[in-house]
Amino acid sequence: MSGHTENEITIAAPLELVWDVTNDLENWPRLFSEYAAVEIIERDGDSTTFRLTMHPDENDKVWSWVSERTVDRATRTVRARRVEPGPFQHMNIRWEYSEVSGGTRMRWAQDFAMRPDAPVDDAWMTDNINRNSKVQMELIRDKIEQRDRERRTASVGAN
């Protein structure tokens, strides 16, 4: 068996701003509430290999893994995969961005499978990812919309 999730949100901000903010890996600890640190390991063209470290969970366990992320600005898509899959047999993620009425739609699709000896199964992880994606997407939306308001206010004040 395997798991699949799809989550999306519309952000009332220009596509270029949403793209730039959400693909600025070094700032992910300030964008996502779950990440404590990002360490860039290697950059090769449009691909980045990096280590993500989460804040301690309810049992004080700190989860960390290495991922590879490749951006395609022309198609406004990002493909990522866990290089160190940990409890996953595999984890592949696709981010898609599109201009829509009222702003930018950001969509995340995740395909994964848990290892047989993982502490949770595919169904549990699917529910967990769906719950957490909504929380993180709303947080990202709010931060980007605030940044866009501040940017527009500063622009008007400069005129």
Side-chain angles (χ1 to χ4, degrees):
M1 195 172 150
S2 62
H4 175 81
T5 65
E6 292 185 27
N7 291 278
E8 67 179 49
I9 195 164
T10 298
I11 302 170
L15 187 143
E16 198 66 30
L17 178 62
V18 175
W19 174 268
D20 288 345
V21 170
T22 58
N23 287 295
D24 181 1
L25 295 177
E26 288 88 349
N27 283 308
W28 275 15
R30 288 181 287 286
L31 187 62
F32 291 83
S33 63
E34 60 190 347
Y35 300 141
V38 175
E39 173 195 351
I40 304 300
I41 297 169
E42 179 183 11
R43 292 192 191 273
D44 183 12
D46 291 330
S47 295
T48 305
T49 303
F50 59 101
R51 175 171 294 284
L52 273 176
T53 302
M54 297 184 79
H55 294 288
D57 67 14
E58 62 278 355
N59 299 314
D60 278 338
K61 170 116 173 94
V62 175
W63 296 92
S64 181
W65 63 90
V66 173
S67 289
E68 181 182 75
R69 184 174 168 85
T70 302
V71 299
D72 185 340
R73 195 175 201 87
T75 63
R76 299 296 192 203
T77 59
V78 178
R79 290 190 183 275
R81 68 180 183 87
R82 283 194 182 200
V83 177
E84 290 178 359
F88 295 92
Q89 286 179 340
H90 69 273
M91 166 62 88
N92 298 308
I93 306 169
R94 181 174 167 90
W95 290 30
E96 299 171 346
Y97 303 79
S98 57
E99 288 183 293
V100 295
S101 176
T104 302
R105 178 181 300 125
M106 181 175 67
R107 180 177 171 275
W108 298 344
Q110 294 173 270
D111 291 295
F112 60 91
M114 303 307 295
R115 287 191 347 226
D117 61 343
V120 299
D121 62 13
D122 292 339
W124 186 94
M125 187 55 72
T126 298
D127 289 342
N128 186 61
I129 289 172
N130 279 328
R131 253 190 328 277
N132 192 52
S133 290
K134 287 175 181 45
V135 168
Q136 296 305 314
M137 286 180 144
E138 289 172 359
L139 185 62
I140 289 167
R141 177 200 60 206
D142 294 348
K143 288 178 179 181
I144 293 175
E145 288 179 354
Q146 176 64 32
R147 188 167 170 179
D148 187 48
R149 281 191 297 275
E150 291 168 358
R151 187 180 65 138
R152 283 186 283 122
T153 301
S155 175
V156 168
N159 290 335

